[in-house]
Every structure is written in structure tokens, then in C-alpha cells.
Amino acid sequence: MIIKRLSSQEIDFPKWDNFINRYGKGLLYMQSWFLELFDENWGAFIVYDKDQMIGVLPYQYQIKWGIMKIINNPFVNELGIIYHPDHKQIQFKLFKSFKEFQFISSYKFNVDNTKTVHRRIKYEATYHLSLNKSYVEISAQYNKNLKRKLKKAEDVNFTQEGNIEDLIQLFKENVAHKINQIEENQYDLLRKIYKELKSRNIAQVYATELNAKVISAVLMIQQGNRLIYYFAASSEKAKSVNAQAFLIDQLIKEHSERDLIFDFEGGDIPGLAQFYSSFGADRKQIPVFRQMLTERLKNFFIKK
């Protein structure tokens, strides 16, 4: 058994993707073709048993002034460790190898890694809703406030033919000012991601309309066993008529009775956490690891 640190150019992509699909439930963010969409370099720690891949830990990085810095791209929500179930012990070896990086600005593991990573790690919340029941059974778990909201959304129309430009415009007008440093090239990157996902027939923009005007929209991605609520925005009018609640309800109805997990992708903000949980979704934890050189030095002297 040996651990190798390889650049993306050294990785056999078909073998890599086959491993992710087989043991990582096809996790979108760890697909080689998805990681190749970004300007950041990427590589991975890979554990081999003879010539057989049995565990992986990918990462994205930048090199500045000759120093490698592990970074978190906001369009990549989970990476982390995927392993062959007969080799659980390699999780800890992979994490130990990963910690040798001096500069880790932010790195998101996946929801299955909560018992693997360092005890001092921080966590971000996301919410998962199983769709393997009938819509009647799922909607019965909605809380009373959500049910009231849906009754008030009677004048809202749902469409499966949403447009990525409408979604971007909604985001620019209603969300961007709340977030620092949103640059035009990031919207271009979103367009690039959407184009690739659409070509693979795994993405669709859904929208709600009121009086023939788009008031909320979301880019949904279906990959592996997840239906991902990837990128969404809504107007002030949409909030007043509960359009986003209506949109999610329609998506749940459309995809119910399938072996899928509706992944809300977020929930750290109290209002969002309450909103997502109102659908009966379960809270999950995403481990987020950060490490700078000063922290490593501090830990070294504490041990001494």
C-alpha cells in the first residue's frame, strides 16, 4: 500500500471517475471533468494497493510567489475523501498526508467524512431530503408555516424552461450586493459550468413567473444520487408571494419516488436553515479545514 501525490496531468481520468462513481456515489465535485472546468490547478493524494486505486483526496490549489496554497472555489461545495469500503483505515492516512500542506485557506470535505477529520475542524451545515417516498408522504412532513406559504403562492407559475441569463440577472439585482467581490468573470464561470452540465444532460434551470415575469430561478443538477440545488436567486416580489417555496415544492413533486437526495447545499444562515428544514430535510455537516503556517507553528510549540 502506497500514497502518491499526483498532479491532475498524472491522473488517469477514466480510472479516477470510475472510482468516484463506484465508491463516491458519483459525487459531482470530484469528477475529473468538473474539476477541469476551473482555472485553478488540481491534484490528489491517491492510495494504491499494488496498482489498484483504493482511496483518493483531491484538492484545488494556486501557486503564488513559488508557494502552493490550497483554496476553496465557491462553485465546488464538497471534496474530501473517498475510499474502498474494505480499506476504511486509509481515511486517516489520507487526512494526515493532507495536513502536511502549510497553507490551506479553506477546504471542504464531504458529508461522509465527519468522523474522519481532525477534532478541531469547523463545520458548515447543509440539508438533505430523501425523495424515495411519494409526494404525499414527503409533503406531509412540511411544517405548518410552509404549508401556509404554499397556499398563498397560487398565482405563481412554474416553468421547466428557465434561462441561465434570467437567473444571473436575478442574482445581480437581488443577491450580489450582499456578497463581497462578485466579479463579472465569476458569472462567466457559471455560464461555462452550465454549458458543460447541459451538454451532459444533467442540469436544468427552473423558474417561477408572476404576470409573465421571472421572479425566481434555480440551477438544478442531477448527478449520482443527488439532486443539487446548485445556484438560486429570487426577487423581492418572489419573497412576498413565496415563490421560492413554491418552486422547491414543485421540484420535490416532480422528482419524488426516486432514489435521490435533494441537496439544498447550504444552511449556515439561520433563516435559510429554518426554511430548508421546513421541508422535512435533515441537517448534515460539511467539515471545513483551514490551516496556515502560523497555526502549524503554534501547534508544534504546544506539543513541545
Side-chain angles (χ1 to χ4, degrees), residues 4-31:
K4 294 182 179 181
R5 191 178 69 155
L6 303 178
S7 67
S8 59
Q9 293 87 351
E10 299 171 299
I11 294 172
D12 184 321
F13 286 179
K15 286 185 178 180
W16 172 276
D17 291 333
N18 181 63
F19 186 84
I20 300 304
N21 290 329
R22 186 171 183 181
Y23 301 113
K25 301 174 184 176
L27 184 61
L28 171 72
Y29 308 109
M30 292 179 71
Q31 302 284 333

Tab-separated table of all heavy atoms in Angstrom, residues 4-31:
chain	number	residue	atom	x	y	z
A	4	LYS	N	0.406	8.273	-3.086
A	4	LYS	CA	1.084	9.133	-4.037
A	4	LYS	C	0.369	10.471	-4.121
A	4	LYS	O	-0.855	10.525	-4.081
A	4	LYS	CB	1.113	8.492	-5.426
A	4	LYS	CG	1.943	7.220	-5.521
A	4	LYS	CD	1.943	6.704	-6.951
A	4	LYS	CE	2.788	5.433	-7.080
A	4	LYS	NZ	2.811	4.945	-8.490
A	5	ARG	N	1.152	11.541	-4.247
A	5	ARG	CA	0.574	12.853	-4.507
A	5	ARG	C	0.809	13.162	-5.979
A	5	ARG	O	1.950	13.297	-6.421
A	5	ARG	CB	1.205	13.929	-3.628
A	5	ARG	CG	0.454	15.244	-3.690
A	5	ARG	CD	1.055	16.281	-2.799
A	5	ARG	NE	2.350	16.736	-3.275
A	5	ARG	CZ	2.867	17.938	-2.975
A	5	ARG	NH1	2.197	18.775	-2.208
A	5	ARG	NH2	4.051	18.286	-3.420
A	6	LEU	N	-0.284	13.280	-6.734
A	6	LEU	CA	-0.196	13.441	-8.179
A	6	LEU	C	-0.863	14.728	-8.631
A	6	LEU	O	-1.860	15.167	-8.058
A	6	LEU	CB	-0.870	12.260	-8.887
A	6	LEU	CG	-0.353	10.851	-8.553
A	6	LEU	CD1	-1.180	9.810	-9.309
A	6	LEU	CD2	1.119	10.714	-8.901
A	7	SER	N	-0.313	15.321	-9.658
A	7	SER	CA	-0.980	16.447	-10.310
A	7	SER	C	-2.069	15.888	-11.216
A	7	SER	O	-2.065	14.693	-11.550
A	7	SER	CB	0.021	17.251	-11.139
A	7	SER	OG	0.477	16.483	-12.241
A	8	SER	N	-2.990	16.732	-11.636
A	8	SER	CA	-4.085	16.256	-12.496
A	8	SER	C	-3.556	15.655	-13.794
A	8	SER	O	-4.143	14.717	-14.336
A	8	SER	CB	-5.056	17.396	-12.799
A	8	SER	OG	-4.383	18.466	-13.456
A	9	GLN	N	-2.414	16.177	-14.286
A	9	GLN	CA	-1.842	15.669	-15.536
A	9	GLN	C	-1.347	14.226	-15.396
A	9	GLN	O	-1.196	13.516	-16.388
A	9	GLN	CB	-0.680	16.558	-15.999
A	9	GLN	CG	-1.100	17.953	-16.426
A	9	GLN	CD	-1.156	18.936	-15.265
A	9	GLN	OE1	-1.040	18.544	-14.108
A	9	GLN	NE2	-1.345	20.213	-15.585
A	10	GLU	N	-1.106	13.804	-14.155
A	10	GLU	CA	-0.591	12.460	-13.913
A	10	GLU	C	-1.690	11.451	-13.578
A	10	GLU	O	-1.418	10.269	-13.420
A	10	GLU	CB	0.419	12.487	-12.760
A	10	GLU	CG	1.641	13.354	-13.015
A	10	GLU	CD	2.498	13.512	-11.779
A	10	GLU	OE1	1.998	14.052	-10.773
A	10	GLU	OE2	3.671	13.084	-11.819
A	11	ILE	N	-2.925	11.923	-13.478
A	11	ILE	CA	-4.034	11.059	-13.063
A	11	ILE	C	-4.735	10.459	-14.279
A	11	ILE	O	-4.986	11.162	-15.265
A	11	ILE	CB	-5.041	11.862	-12.204
A	11	ILE	CG1	-4.374	12.292	-10.883
A	11	ILE	CG2	-6.293	11.036	-11.921
A	11	ILE	CD1	-5.219	13.239	-10.061
A	12	ASP	N	-5.031	9.191	-14.201
A	12	ASP	CA	-5.793	8.506	-15.243
A	12	ASP	C	-7.266	8.853	-15.030
A	12	ASP	O	-7.916	8.308	-14.142
A	12	ASP	CB	-5.563	6.994	-15.136
A	12	ASP	CG	-6.236	6.212	-16.254
A	12	ASP	OD1	-7.368	6.575	-16.636
A	12	ASP	OD2	-5.650	5.229	-16.731
A	13	PHE	N	-7.812	9.780	-15.833
A	13	PHE	CA	-9.168	10.286	-15.610
A	13	PHE	C	-10.245	9.196	-15.654
A	13	PHE	O	-11.135	9.177	-14.796
A	13	PHE	CB	-9.493	11.397	-16.599
A	13	PHE	CG	-8.811	12.716	-16.294
A	13	PHE	CD1	-8.989	13.809	-17.117
A	13	PHE	CD2	-8.008	12.860	-15.173
A	13	PHE	CE1	-8.376	15.024	-16.838
A	13	PHE	CE2	-7.386	14.065	-14.878
A	13	PHE	CZ	-7.568	15.145	-15.717
A	14	PRO	N	-10.242	8.293	-16.639
A	14	PRO	CA	-11.274	7.242	-16.651
A	14	PRO	C	-11.257	6.384	-15.386
A	14	PRO	O	-12.318	6.071	-14.833
A	14	PRO	CB	-10.926	6.420	-17.896
A	14	PRO	CG	-10.256	7.395	-18.799
A	14	PRO	CD	-9.438	8.263	-17.887
A	15	LYS	N	-10.067	6.016	-14.904
A	15	LYS	CA	-9.973	5.223	-13.669
A	15	LYS	C	-10.451	6.038	-12.473
A	15	LYS	O	-11.130	5.526	-11.586
A	15	LYS	CB	-8.540	4.746	-13.454
A	15	LYS	CG	-8.112	3.618	-14.379
A	15	LYS	CD	-6.724	3.120	-14.009
A	15	LYS	CE	-6.311	1.953	-14.901
A	15	LYS	NZ	-4.955	1.454	-14.562
A	16	TRP	N	-10.066	7.323	-12.472
A	16	TRP	CA	-10.476	8.218	-11.381
A	16	TRP	C	-12.004	8.325	-11.314
A	16	TRP	O	-12.612	8.123	-10.265
A	16	TRP	CB	-9.855	9.595	-11.590
A	16	TRP	CG	-10.350	10.650	-10.641
A	16	TRP	CD1	-11.486	11.402	-10.764
A	16	TRP	CD2	-9.732	11.057	-9.410
A	16	TRP	NE1	-11.627	12.262	-9.703
A	16	TRP	CE2	-10.568	12.073	-8.854
A	16	TRP	CE3	-8.574	10.680	-8.743
A	16	TRP	CZ2	-10.253	12.703	-7.660
A	16	TRP	CZ3	-8.261	11.317	-7.535
A	16	TRP	CH2	-9.096	12.304	-7.006
A	17	ASP	N	-12.630	8.643	-12.440
A	17	ASP	CA	-14.082	8.833	-12.455
A	17	ASP	C	-14.824	7.534	-12.154
A	17	ASP	O	-15.874	7.553	-11.501
A	17	ASP	CB	-14.525	9.398	-13.808
A	17	ASP	CG	-14.064	10.828	-14.016
A	17	ASP	OD1	-13.874	11.544	-13.021
A	17	ASP	OD2	-13.884	11.234	-15.186
A	18	ASN	N	-14.297	6.433	-12.613
A	18	ASN	CA	-14.904	5.143	-12.303
A	18	ASN	C	-14.886	4.886	-10.805
A	18	ASN	O	-15.860	4.390	-10.226
A	18	ASN	CB	-14.173	4.017	-13.041
A	18	ASN	CG	-14.796	2.659	-12.760
A	18	ASN	OD1	-15.952	2.408	-13.088
A	18	ASN	ND2	-14.027	1.767	-12.142
A	19	PHE	N	-13.780	5.259	-10.155
A	19	PHE	CA	-13.665	5.088	-8.700
A	19	PHE	C	-14.663	5.982	-7.969
A	19	PHE	O	-15.341	5.538	-7.031
A	19	PHE	CB	-12.235	5.415	-8.251
A	19	PHE	CG	-11.968	5.130	-6.802
A	19	PHE	CD1	-11.629	3.853	-6.380
A	19	PHE	CD2	-12.074	6.130	-5.847
A	19	PHE	CE1	-11.390	3.583	-5.044
A	19	PHE	CE2	-11.843	5.881	-4.509
A	19	PHE	CZ	-11.498	4.592	-4.094
A	20	ILE	N	-14.768	7.249	-8.397
A	20	ILE	CA	-15.709	8.191	-7.766
A	20	ILE	C	-17.145	7.722	-7.954
A	20	ILE	O	-17.969	7.788	-7.026
A	20	ILE	CB	-15.533	9.611	-8.346
A	20	ILE	CG1	-14.114	10.133	-8.111
A	20	ILE	CG2	-16.574	10.564	-7.751
A	20	ILE	CD1	-13.681	10.146	-6.670
A	21	ASN	N	-17.479	7.253	-9.138
A	21	ASN	CA	-18.840	6.786	-9.402
A	21	ASN	C	-19.179	5.544	-8.604
A	21	ASN	O	-20.312	5.382	-8.139
A	21	ASN	CB	-19.013	6.515	-10.897
A	21	ASN	CG	-19.012	7.794	-11.725
A	21	ASN	OD1	-19.432	8.843	-11.252
A	21	ASN	ND2	-18.522	7.708	-12.947
A	22	ARG	N	-18.193	4.670	-8.425
A	22	ARG	CA	-18.449	3.411	-7.739
A	22	ARG	C	-18.488	3.558	-6.223
A	22	ARG	O	-19.364	3.008	-5.560
A	22	ARG	CB	-17.384	2.390	-8.130
A	22	ARG	CG	-17.643	0.996	-7.570
A	22	ARG	CD	-16.690	-0.021	-8.166
A	22	ARG	NE	-16.991	-1.362	-7.681
A	22	ARG	CZ	-16.303	-2.453	-8.020
A	22	ARG	NH1	-15.272	-2.345	-8.858
A	22	ARG	NH2	-16.640	-3.632	-7.546
A	23	TYR	N	-17.558	4.328	-5.665
A	23	TYR	CA	-17.445	4.396	-4.206
A	23	TYR	C	-17.841	5.757	-3.622
A	23	TYR	O	-18.005	5.871	-2.421
A	23	TYR	CB	-16.016	4.050	-3.779
A	23	TYR	CG	-15.597	2.671	-4.219
A	23	TYR	CD1	-14.602	2.494	-5.178
A	23	TYR	CD2	-16.218	1.535	-3.690
A	23	TYR	CE1	-14.225	1.225	-5.597
A	23	TYR	CE2	-15.846	0.256	-4.101
A	23	TYR	CZ	-14.856	0.114	-5.058
A	23	TYR	OH	-14.501	-1.146	-5.468
A	24	GLY	N	-17.991	6.758	-4.481
A	24	GLY	CA	-18.359	8.090	-4.000
A	24	GLY	C	-19.730	8.533	-4.451
A	24	GLY	O	-20.047	9.724	-4.415
A	25	LYS	N	-20.555	7.571	-4.893
A	25	LYS	CA	-21.927	7.863	-5.326
A	25	LYS	C	-21.965	8.912	-6.435
A	25	LYS	O	-22.922	9.692	-6.534
A	25	LYS	CB	-22.777	8.308	-4.130
A	25	LYS	CG	-22.859	7.281	-3.014
A	25	LYS	CD	-23.592	7.807	-1.792
A	25	LYS	CE	-23.576	6.794	-0.657
A	25	LYS	NZ	-24.199	7.318	0.580
A	26	GLY	N	-20.916	8.922	-7.233
A	26	GLY	CA	-20.883	9.839	-8.375
A	26	GLY	C	-20.808	11.301	-7.995
A	26	GLY	O	-21.257	12.156	-8.759
A	27	LEU	N	-20.227	11.619	-6.824
A	27	LEU	CA	-20.191	12.999	-6.330
A	27	LEU	C	-19.694	13.964	-7.411
A	27	LEU	O	-18.590	13.834	-7.926
A	27	LEU	CB	-19.295	13.088	-5.095
A	27	LEU	CG	-19.232	14.447	-4.391
A	27	LEU	CD1	-20.607	14.872	-3.877
A	27	LEU	CD2	-18.225	14.402	-3.248
A	28	LEU	N	-20.538	14.926	-7.769
A	28	LEU	CA	-20.274	15.849	-8.862
A	28	LEU	C	-18.916	16.518	-8.750
A	28	LEU	O	-18.132	16.560	-9.711
A	28	LEU	CB	-21.367	16.923	-8.905
A	28	LEU	CG	-21.117	18.092	-9.855
A	28	LEU	CD1	-21.262	17.643	-11.303
A	28	LEU	CD2	-22.063	19.242	-9.547
A	29	TYR	N	-18.618	17.081	-7.583
A	29	TYR	CA	-17.462	17.950	-7.414
A	29	TYR	C	-16.132	17.216	-7.538
A	29	TYR	O	-15.091	17.844	-7.705
A	29	TYR	CB	-17.548	18.661	-6.063
A	29	TYR	CG	-18.867	19.349	-5.874
A	29	TYR	CD1	-19.816	18.867	-4.964
A	29	TYR	CD2	-19.196	20.465	-6.633
A	29	TYR	CE1	-21.046	19.487	-4.823
A	29	TYR	CE2	-20.424	21.097	-6.492
A	29	TYR	CZ	-21.344	20.598	-5.579
A	29	TYR	OH	-22.560	21.215	-5.442
A	30	MET	N	-16.163	15.881	-7.474
A	30	MET	CA	-14.940	15.115	-7.569
A	30	MET	C	-14.751	14.463	-8.932
A	30	MET	O	-13.786	13.737	-9.154
A	30	MET	CB	-14.879	14.069	-6.449
A	30	MET	CG	-14.734	14.706	-5.083
A	30	MET	SD	-14.671	13.549	-3.697
A	30	MET	CE	-13.059	12.830	-3.938
A	31	GLN	N	-15.656	14.734	-9.867
A	31	GLN	CA	-15.486	14.233	-11.220
A	31	GLN	C	-14.326	14.992	-11.884
A	31	GLN	O	-14.225	16.215	-11.774
A	31	GLN	CB	-16.763	14.446	-12.033
A	31	GLN	CG	-18.010	13.800	-11.451
A	31	GLN	CD	-18.038	12.289	-11.672
A	31	GLN	OE1	-17.454	11.788	-12.631
A	31	GLN	NE2	-18.712	11.571	-10.793
